[in-house]
Amino acid sequence: MRITVCCTDTKVPPWLEGLRAAIPGAEVEEWRPGAPQADHAVVWAPPQQFLDEQPRLKGIFNIGAGVDALVKLRLPPQAVVVRLDDAGMSVQMAEFVCHYAIRFFRELDGYEADTAAGKWSFRRPRPRADFPVGVMGLGVLGQRVAQALAAFEFPVRGWSRGAKEVAGVECFAGTEQFDAFLSGTRILVNLLPLTADTEGILERRTLSRLQPGGFLINVARGAHLVDADLLALLDSGHLAGAVLDVFREEPLPAGHPFWSHPKVVVTPHTSARTLRDESIAQIARKIRALEEGKPIAGVVDRHKGY
Ligand code: NDP
Ligand code: OXD
């Protein structure tokens, strides 16, 4: 079996070594233009040329959960496109989101500022019921995040495309329930995939529907957000703050207003990192299953785009 690896912005040699160790007997090489046809590909944001030169791939394995950079390309029609299915990402995402939600709710930034000023002072405890959290996207990551927040006894609501039942989470589905979901939400967490339907979904109308003093945690994709609309709502006071882990352009360009805005925390697309060993083990398992004609999780629906 031949496996080709084509991952931009990635240190490729450890992936080659890991895949060779996990699939003994497979020929695993980094793709170069003109390389021979492979059976399976392991990719991250590959160029179109790669796909054009590998028309008979059986499986294309994305080393991330989001496939937006992949599905916009012309893909070999017969190839099964597979994304990472958790592989250690959901617990990281839960840590990250809970950290910032709790930080906001407990006013920990304020306490840090007080400490820095040598000030010993208490803030009045705020009722948790006044901080309902809404999670957009109830997939692998969204459900884990929603349940982690529920464990801290926040009122948690979730929104997905199809109707869902998630223990401890009030579930909403579809465009017809979007406004009801938003209007009962104060802390909004975005964990949607980036598709034609969701691009720009975090815009003025959506963010205005959050409860006053709202807070945004965007950990999905930068193109979900209309930057200027967020800035306007922060400046008007309708929103109290935002944590942004993903951006339309990454790295976030120097001079972008998010860098210096007092109500914005910028993190460098790091809320849930691809863990190499877990990911290689998952991909190796799935390649074997695919070869044996067995079903696998994480197959991308090309029509839906995620
Ligand atoms: P999943 O595919 O498991 O879940 C996606 C969820 O979004 C599903 O619940 C789906 O609904 C819902 N959804 C999709 N389209 C719509 C829509 N139009 N309206 C309402 N709901 C919709 O993805 P993951 O949870 O694994 O990952 C989510 C995203 O997180 C990734 O696509 C990626 O962009 C981002 N990500 C970011 C990382 C970071 O470090 N910042 C790391 C990893 C991922 P339904 O269940 O009904 O289909
Ligand atoms: C992913 C990411 O999609 O890291 O996995 O953003």
Side-chain angles (χ1 to χ4, degrees), residues 99-240:
H99 169 94
Y100 283 107
I102 291 168
R103 207 176 162 83
F104 170 57
F105 166 58
R106 294 294 303 272
E107 302 184 90
L108 297 177
D109 286 338
Y111 279 111
E112 268 183 26
D114 289 350
T115 306
K119 198 163 117 196
W120 181 276
S121 76
F122 294 105
R123 283 147 209 270
R124 189 195 301 267
R126 310 196 283 185
R128 208 173 292 265
D130 290 351
F131 290 81
V133 188
V135 180
M136 297 168 79
L138 284 176
V140 174
L141 303 182
Q143 285 201 26
R144 178 70 180 256
V145 165
Q147 286 178 321
L149 289 159
F152 285 106
E153 300 181 16
F154 285 103
V156 183
R157 30 189 43 226
W159 182 66
S160 55
R161 183 166 154 140
K164 294 235 172 334
E165 278 185 30
V166 182
V169 179
E170 189 183 355
C171 293
F172 298 78
T175 43
E176 55 293 345
Q177 293 185 356
F178 192 39
D179 282 357
F181 163 77
L182 293 169
S183 60
T185 292
R186 178 142 177 206
I187 302 177
L188 184 67
V189 179
N190 178 32
L191 272 166
L192 290 169
L194 182 63
T195 65
D197 288 339
T198 65
E199 180 163 359
I201 193 165
L202 299 173
E203 41 79 73
R204 188 188 52 77
R205 189 188 157 283
T206 302
L207 298 173
S208 307
R209 278 180 162 60
L210 297 178
Q211 295 181 347
F215 191 79
L216 173 68
I217 302 179
N218 187 20
V219 277
R221 286 291 182 264
H224 284 128
L225 175 66
V226 178
D227 296 2
D229 290 0
L230 172 64
L231 289 165
L233 286 159
L234 288 168
D235 292 340
S236 75
H238 181 66
L239 295 184

Side-chain angles (χ1 to χ4, degrees), residues 44 64-66 89 221 269 272 274:
W44 182 251
M89 277 193 273
R221 286 291 182 264
H269 198 143
T274 291

Side-chain angles (χ1 to χ4, degrees), residues 44 62-68 83-84 86 89 93 141 219-221 245-246 250 269-274:
W44 182 251
N62 190 57
I63 65 164
V67 289
D68 41 291
R83 63 175 198 108
L84 279 186
D86 195 336
M89 277 193 273
M93 201 53 106
L141 303 182
V219 277
R221 286 291 182 264
D245 184 52
V246 287
E250 294 180 2
H269 198 143
T270 197
S271 49
R273 304 287 291 272
T274 291

